[in-house]
Amino acid sequence: PGGVEGSPGHSLRFVRAQVGVLSRQHEGPISAIAVVGTTFVTGGPGGRILAFQRLPRGPLSVVSPELLPGGAVVDLAAANAEVPGKMVVVASCSHNIVAEKDNLFDSGSKRALASKGPDSSVVRLWSTRRNSTDMGQAHPVHLTGHAGPVAGVSLQQNGGRATFAASASDDCSARIWDLNAAAEVVALGHRHEVTKAFFVPGQTMLVTRSVDRATRVWDLRSSTRRAICIVEDRPGGRPVDSCVTVDRDARLVVADSTGAMDMFDVPRCGARPVAQWKLAAEGSPQSLSFVLRDRYVACACSDGDLYLVNVTDGACVGFEVQETAKDKPKAPLARMHVGGGRHSHNLVAYAFQESGFGFGYLTEEVLDDGMPLLNRKPPSIAVHEMH
């Protein structure tokens, strides 16, 4: 409860909230998550996108919107819209929908899903009011242009509002979309299928991953034909496409299945690593994100724990994010999303491999009174049960 040692003179704390039984939830694993303010947005294989509130304090409840994209959700991203009180959601879908329990759909919704097959090459865009108790469903705008299934989506935010979207596809391209015009801006060609595309925060740069085990950084102001930096994966380890993250200074961190992590300062050093670490975890990394003013990299692992790596010295701190009986193994973490931007505190949401999700509050406090960590008063945020 007193925190653990972080950077010199700093204390790190993670306060976990336990999610109980919800009135409506995904059947099976959660395939995508996003955090928008106090709204937690999730997508699942049953062809639904659900929103939950309120974070980081409960009680947790389902709120509008409930979106039906028409296919199993592969990836999604969400952010505040330019119109106050509205939220933008983009999603990619596959053809296969996992059957849900009958009581989770009304008959009209089930008929709509059965009669209209999903197009996995279409990016779905919603602009819908958030924080509403109305469980009505919004209809998506279809962003067309890809010739193959869309594997990943992301949003660029300007002043906290979403302005552009990016998508990665098996058609060997990443595409950027103007959300206001609902139209394609540019396509970035690759020689192999693209699995991930996301923006460098606050910049006109895009990061892409492809099946050739390479991460590319594009400066959209200079060229859309040639990447300014190409980072090759280390030999030996199995690549994990979700284990790539970048901060607003274009520092790129890539991890493989063995826990080997490389950091690149793209503007200054290009594809030459400026730091290399080995994650002190029993499992393999599943998802990465910069946190706490970009001073640490958070890593969700298959051993069921959350780890923080100090980017200055590579020191690693582990946090338990779930309670299990002594004779039962921890549930592996599959994905993670971090909200809060460049602050001394972040909301961390994570999904388990089989089913369910959790979240907690990560904070870093400056120790300016010389008091030992274990003697300090714990933070005012209390662990609580969510029903």
Side-chain angles (χ1 to χ4, degrees), residues 28-98:
I30 292 174
S31 54
I33 56 176
V35 177
V36 186
T38 60
T39 302
F40 182 26
V41 185
T42 64
R48 294 187 305 157
I49 297 175
L50 295 176
F52 300 90
Q53 270 200 322
R54 141 161 193 239
L55 303 177
R57 297 176 177 86
L60 194 65
S61 59
V62 183
V63 295
S64 179
E66 177 179 353
L67 308 176
L68 299 179
V73 178
V74 174
D75 194 19
L76 68 81
N80 287 318
E82 290 190 340
V83 177
K86 280 203 166 187
M87 178 174 62
V88 171
V89 179
V90 292
S92 56
C93 299
S94 70
H95 294 281
N96 299 320
I97 301 179
V98 176

Side-chain angles (χ1 to χ4, degrees), residues 328-339:
K328 292 185 178 180
K330 296 178 181 177
L333 299 181
R335 50 193 45 83
M336 171 185 66
H337 184 87
V338 176

Side-chain angles (χ1 to χ4, degrees), residues 117-339:
D119 186 348
S120 60
S121 67
V122 170
V123 177
R124 290 153 175 82
L125 165 67
W126 292 267
S127 179
T128 183
R129 187 161 298 279
R130 49 177 298 217
N131 303 345
S132 171
T133 57
D134 179 15
M135 291 303 298
Q137 298 161 358
H139 298 284
V141 173
H142 286 182
L143 305 179
T144 59
H146 282 296
V150 177
V153 291
S154 66
L155 289 168
Q156 184 194 50
Q157 298 186 52
N158 183 11
R161 308 294 178 182
T163 53
F164 293 92
S167 56
S169 173
D170 288 357
D171 67 0
C172 303
S173 76
R175 297 174 189 256
I176 298 176
W177 311 84
D178 184 333
L179 297 181
N180 290 325
E184 180 183 318
V185 177
V186 67
L188 308 177
H190 295 63
R191 294 188 176 182
H192 301 84
E193 294 94 330
V194 185
T195 57
K196 194 174 182 67
F198 56 96
F199 294 96
V200 176
Q203 298 198 33
T204 57
M205 302 172 72
L206 189 77
V207 179
T208 60
R209 282 280 299 175
S210 55
V211 298
D212 60 352
R213 296 173 60 98
T215 303
R216 292 171 172 81
V217 182
W218 307 75
D219 188 342
L220 303 176
R221 295 173 302 179
S222 60
S223 175
T224 57
R225 294 180 176 271
R226 184 185 298 273
I228 63 171
C229 179
I230 302 178
V231 173
E232 303 287 344
D233 287 350
R234 285 194 195 186
R238 177 177 57 83
V240 184
D241 288 330
S242 57
C243 282
V244 181
T245 187
V246 67
D247 70 358
R248 63 183 59 246
D249 295 324
R251 293 185 302 176
L252 181 75
V253 175
V254 180
D256 65 16
S257 60
T258 69
M261 303 176 69
D262 296 323
M263 184 168 74
F264 305 87
D265 189 336
V266 173
R268 297 171 180 83
C269 303
R272 178 174 61 85
V274 296
Q276 293 182 313
W277 316 302
K278 179 69 174 181
L279 188 67
E282 296 181 0
S284 59
Q286 300 298 307
S287 184
L288 296 182
S289 180
F290 275 95
V291 296
L292 301 177
R293 295 196 178 102
D294 300 337
R295 294 160 57 90
Y296 302 87
V297 173
C299 180
C301 283
S302 61
D303 61 9
D305 289 335
L306 177 71
Y307 296 86
L308 258 63
V309 177
N310 189 317
V311 300
T312 302
D313 56 14
C316 183
V317 174
F319 293 95
E320 292 187 353
V321 297
Q322 56 184 303
E323 287 187 3
T324 57
K326 292 183 178 180
D327 58 340
K328 292 185 178 180
K330 296 178 181 177
L333 299 181
R335 50 193 45 83
M336 171 185 66
H337 184 87
V338 176

